[in-house]
Amino acid sequence: MDDVIRTAAKIVKDSISTIALTGAGISVESGIPDFRSAGGLWTRYNPEEYAHIDGFRRNPRKIWKMIFELMDMTRNAMPNPAHIALAQLEEMGLLKAVITQNIDNLHQRAGSKNVIEFHGNSERLQCIYCGAEYAPEEFDIIDEPPQCKKCGEILKPSVVFFGEMIPHNALMESQNLASDARVVLVIGTSAVVYPASSIPHIAKANGAYIIEFNLEKTVITPIITDIFIQGKVGETLPKFVEAIKAL
Ligand code: NAD
């Protein structure tokens, strides 16, 4: 494994344009479960119902029960060594941007500056009817869904539910970064949720090198991954950054 990490480190050190695509797996070691974690939030709330905009529209009060838990969990979570390793890589001038599917704000809290929020951020609230945005602190959110101060409708977190469009700027910027990238680090994502899953494919079609960090192989591993680094990202990413520093 150390040899594989050293090879990947050399490729990134020599690359003029490296980006990262991160998924729920990078935050599992911060205590936020991915869709598979045993006993996690998503074993109690079926994401097909609770993370779909139709479910929210049908019964927002019911979905807010899950949102209260999610917001509580993300608010209390801390960045882990994997988030910190990516912030260091950016600081070293070796990472152009992090495109994240996560909504937990942990990259920003770890110090990453250029973060593209592909699926929004749970630390903002938005009215699904008039679009007005609010900070959660503006409301006394305890167990009743907050209401829009302009039109009175129920707010939702400013995250992209299944069935909703990706924010235009995030989509365009990510696709441009992917086209220009020489290396993509694909980190803790099952790479199945479209269109985020298209990012490494766009990059590969333009000649990029794909380095994947995951506990287990994914759908892209046999198809486009050049180097697969297996293990907990809280361990493998700091090792990878140390290997770059040692070159
Ligand atoms: P996913 O749950 O489909 O896949 C997570 C991947 O991470 C898996 O391949 C798993 O093997 C890997 N993984 C888990 N723990 C790991 C670890 N410690 N080290 C290395 N790899 C690990 O997640 P996804 O691909 O991001 O797609 C699911 C969707 O769910 C995304 O759209 C995302 O917005 C949303 N989501 C976000 C959060 C969050 O914000 N933290 C949490 C759950 C779901």
Side-chain angles (χ1 to χ4, degrees):
M1 178 54 74
D2 285 354
D3 282 351
V4 180
I5 289 181
R6 261 195 300 276
T7 307
K10 174 118 186 43
I11 289 165
V12 170
K13 179 94 191 270
D14 293 342
S15 156
I16 54 163
S17 175
T18 299
I19 60 170
L21 171 70
T22 65
I26 196 169
S27 296
V28 167
E29 290 163 74
S30 292
I32 303 175
D34 63 2
F35 280 157
R36 295 135 187 253
S37 302
L41 185 76
W42 303 112
T43 53
R44 281 178 291 121
Y45 298 107
N46 175 6
E48 281 172 25
E49 179 186 5
Y50 281 84
H52 199 290
I53 192 63
D54 291 345
F56 186 87
R57 288 210 173 97
R58 260 196 305 273
N59 195 344
R61 271 168 212 282
K62 179 177 168 189
I63 306 302
W64 258 98
K65 272 184 159 178
M66 176 276 290
I67 296 172
F68 287 133
E69 267 194 64
L70 185 69
M71 287 175 81
D72 226 34
M73 199 160 54
T74 55
R75 235 192 329 259
N76 294 321
M78 296 294 286
N80 68 54
H83 298 104
I84 292 164
L86 288 185
Q88 284 175 349
L89 211 54
E90 183 184 26
E91 175 90 26
M92 289 155 70
L94 293 174
L95 187 65
K96 221 166 159 184
V98 176
I99 302 167
T100 188
Q101 299 168 80
N102 297 341
I103 55 163
D104 54 28
N105 216 32
L106 291 182
H107 286 298
Q108 293 88 332
R109 283 169 54 194
S112 286
K113 304 273 186 302
N114 194 13
V115 181
I116 298 170
E117 295 172 335
F118 209 82
H119 291 159
N121 191 316
S122 66
E123 294 192 5
R124 294 189 301 271
L125 298 174
Q126 187 180 38
C127 176
I128 54 167
Y129 294 92
C130 75
E133 284 208 311
Y134 301 93
E137 300 74 58
E138 291 184 51
F139 299 87
D140 192 15
I141 305 175
I142 299 169
D143 50 15
E144 269 300 299
Q147 288 178 314
C148 180
K149 293 177 183 178
K150 292 185 180 145
C151 71
E153 291 294 347
I154 288 177
L155 302 179
K156 81 184 231 319
S158 196
V159 302
V160 178
F161 279 50
F162 290 125
E164 287 192 297
M165 303 281 281
I166 303 301
H168 181 75
N169 288 349
L171 184 62
M172 289 300 126
E173 211 182 329
S174 303
Q175 289 175 343
N176 289 339
L177 282 163
S179 304
D180 290 344
R182 295 290 163 84
V183 179
V184 183
L185 311 176
V186 182
I187 302 166
T189 173
S190 57
V192 292
V193 177
Y194 184 83
S197 58
S198 68
I199 301 296
H201 290 277
I202 294 171
K204 186 72 181 179
N206 285 282
Y209 218 87
I210 309 296
I211 304 174
E212 194 181 3
F213 295 77
N214 203 307
L215 277 179
E216 54 191 41
K217 293 186 175 164
T218 68
V219 287
I220 67 163
T221 315
I223 304 170
I224 58 168
T225 297
D226 296 291
I227 296 184
F228 182 72
I229 298 177
Q230 186 157 22
K232 290 183 173 181
V233 286
E235 293 166 10
T236 55
L237 271 174
K239 270 192 192 166
F240 169 67
V241 171
E242 285 312 309
I244 295 178
K245 287 183 185 163
L247 286 171

